[in-house]
């Protein structure tokens, strides 16, 4: 493969990565609820990053999207590196299950539950505890209803998003 052809392919993937990152930044703005129990659409961008680019580049894209969102929109309570790490871990986990894999319901369930347990319940609750000084037990109790209900809705959305994206032929 010639250098010119390789550069064209790499540039095309880099542009797609940038578009998905931009889409994730925008989707993250569609959320509601206080900072401790915020529900939003940013997970769709994480899933797309993971599905199209794998765990490593998905994590890179997730981190970049958090930094861009912090720079453009600011974050409640200011920038916190923990949430950037969270934005990287979710696409990484999704990437382990979705990248170059057929869309299967069991993959969606396991990946979504792992992201919910590790990222949302574990990491985000810890960051809220550190940032706001909220008692860890109180934070978990406050976030529990969201973390019990929202993942099941996300699974349905993820299924339809992945079904749609898997039908589109993106030349690599």
């Amino acid at each position: 493969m010639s250098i010119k052809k390789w550069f064209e392919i790499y540039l095309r993937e880099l542009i797609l990565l940038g578009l998905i990152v931009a889409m994730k930044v925008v989707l993250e703005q569609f959320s509601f609820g206080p900072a401790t129990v915020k529900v939003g659409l940013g997970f769709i961008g994480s899933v797309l990053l993971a599905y199209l680019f794998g765990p490593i580049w998905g994590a890179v894209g997730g981190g970049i999207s958090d930094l861009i969102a912090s720079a453009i929109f600011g974050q409640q309570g200011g920038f916190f590196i923990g949430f950037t790490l969270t934005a990287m871990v979710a696409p990484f986990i999704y990437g382990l299950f979705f990248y170059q894999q057929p869309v299967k319901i069991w993959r969606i369930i396991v990946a979504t539950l792992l992201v919910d347990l590790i990222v949302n319940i574990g990491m985000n609750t810890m960051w809220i505890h550190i940032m706001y000084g909220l008692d860890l037990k109180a934070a978990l109790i406050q976030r529990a209803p969201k973390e019990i209900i929202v993942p099941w809705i996300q699974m349905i959305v993820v299924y339809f998003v992945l079904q749609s994206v898997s039908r589109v032929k993106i030349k690599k």
Side-chain angles (χ1 to χ4, degrees):
M1 178 185 307
S2 71
I3 292 176
K4 181 181 177 191
K5 186 72 172 171
W6 178 85
F7 183 73
E8 287 174 3
I9 292 170
Y10 183 72
L11 184 61
R12 190 177 312 136
E13 285 192 13
L14 198 57
I15 290 169
L16 181 60
L17 179 69
L19 288 171
I20 303 293
V21 166
M23 187 176 78
K24 182 173 174 7
V25 169
V26 171
L27 286 172
E28 286 173 349
Q29 300 311 306
F30 293 99
S31 62
F32 60 92
T36 55
V37 289
K38 191 166 126 177
V39 177
L41 298 176
F43 73 95
I44 296 171
S46 294
V47 167
L48 289 175
L49 283 169
Y51 181 78
L52 295 171
F53 297 100
I56 302 300
W57 282 105
V60 169
I64 291 170
S65 73
D66 183 72
L67 295 174
I68 290 171
S70 293
I72 294 174
F73 302 109
Q75 300 292 343
Q76 186 176 359
F79 172 77
F80 183 67
I81 192 71
F83 289 119
T84 303
L85 184 60
T86 295
M88 295 175 75
V89 172
F92 182 82
I93 292 171
Y94 285 131
L96 294 174
F97 289 89
F98 301 152
Y99 184 59
Q100 297 181 340
Q101 299 292 333
V103 177
K104 300 283 187 188
I105 292 174
W106 74 266
R107 289 182 197 282
I108 294 169
I109 292 171
V110 172
T112 304
L113 289 177
L114 279 175
V115 168
D116 190 51
L117 287 171
I118 295 169
V119 175
N120 298 338
I121 294 173
M123 296 172 73
N124 282 346
T125 304
M126 180 61 71
W127 307 146
I128 289 167
H129 165 70
I130 292 169
M131 281 186 72
Y132 301 113
L134 189 62
D135 180 59
L136 204 51
K137 187 176 178 181
L140 282 170
I141 291 169
Q142 187 178 18
R143 294 169 55 82
K146 174 210 173 223
E147 301 306 337
I148 291 170
I149 297 167
V150 171
W152 303 101
I153 298 167
Q154 288 179 344
M155 287 177 206
I156 294 167
V157 172
V158 167
Y159 176 78
F160 287 111
V161 166
L162 290 181
Q163 282 294 321
S164 298
V165 173
S166 68
R167 291 186 196 128
V168 176
K169 302 296 182 217
I170 299 175
K171 293 182 182 179
K172 294 229 176 190

